[in-house]
Amino acid sequence: MKRSIPFFCIVGLLGCAAAVQSAPTQPITAAGNYHPLPKAAYQPDPAATYKVVFSLTKASDKPDQINPALERVARTVNLYASAGVPLDHLKFVAVAYGQATPLVLDDEHYKAQFGVANPNLPVIAQLRKAGIDVAVCGQAMAEHHYANEWASKDVTLSLAALTTITELQQQGYALMPL
């Protein structure tokens, strides 16, 4: 006896597969919530490569809150990913300096300064895993009297935000001040 799969089962399975493929992607879950707007104008092109350097300069209002500029970087990654842009097409660098410098500190040194665990570290780790470079200005580290080793292992120490931004702009990166 030959058994066949009912037609409605096949249609149902195909519908489930399509729903899985079209489900929005959110690679950064520790921050970066967004509102899906699939019919809005100016949707990213999934075939394009995007080069952005984010300038992170502001401190959090409270030390137990994720830095708002870092939150915006996470949101940007999630927006592009939700539009179907592969993570390897996102050439993003976020460089912290000025009042934002403490967001890169490891837990030990963040707790010593602020009395709480660094809420930015899970976001930074997820950004790094997604291929996004989070850097810190070496000059700002020195001006804040932070040893370079105090930065999270997921953070890149750059010579300076000034040189990082200009070097990346020379390579075609768009500047996004936050």
Side-chain angles (χ1 to χ4, degrees):
M1 177 192 307
K2 191 175 186 184
R3 292 188 175 202
S4 61
I5 299 173
F7 177 74
F8 64 88
C9 288
I10 294 172
V11 171
L13 289 172
L14 290 174
C16 288
V20 169
Q21 288 178 342
S22 65
T25 304
Q26 186 166 334
I28 313 303
T29 57
N33 290 332
Y34 64 96
H35 306 282
L37 298 169
K39 300 215 185 284
Y42 305 109
Q43 294 285 332
D45 177 358
T49 296
Y50 296 90
K51 297 165 78 173
V52 181
V53 57
F54 298 88
S55 171
L56 314 181
T57 61
K58 297 183 174 113
S60 299
D61 289 337
K62 297 179 182 175
D64 63 342
Q65 295 176 344
I66 294 171
N67 181 283
L70 192 64
E71 166 78 34
R72 299 287 302 266
V73 174
R75 177 179 284 190
T76 305
V77 171
N78 287 339
L79 284 166
Y80 278 88
S82 74
V85 178
L87 292 177
D88 64 354
H89 287 209
L90 301 180
K91 309 301 180 194
F92 289 177
V93 177
V95 60
Y97 59 103
Q99 294 176 346
T101 305
L103 76 85
V104 305
L105 292 175
D106 62 25
D107 250 347
E108 175 187 350
H109 295 94
Y110 195 91
K111 281 179 188 173
Q113 183 167 354
F114 299 107
V116 296
N118 187 342
N120 302 292
L121 295 180
V123 181
I124 292 170
Q126 287 183 352
L127 287 167
R128 174 68 67 188
K129 186 176 178 183
I132 309 308
D133 187 20
V134 177
V136 64
C137 171
Q139 305 306 303
M141 289 289 284
E143 289 169 7
H144 280 83
H145 305 289
Y146 299 154
N148 294 337
E149 300 77 35
W150 295 1
S152 163
K153 64 179 176 29
D154 290 322
V155 172
T156 301
L157 178 70
S158 73
L159 172 62
L162 295 168
T163 59
T164 301
I165 292 168
T166 56
E167 283 299 309
L168 291 172
Q169 285 188 298
Q170 291 289 325
Q171 297 172 30
Y173 282 68
L175 175 61
M176 179 68 66
L178 299 174

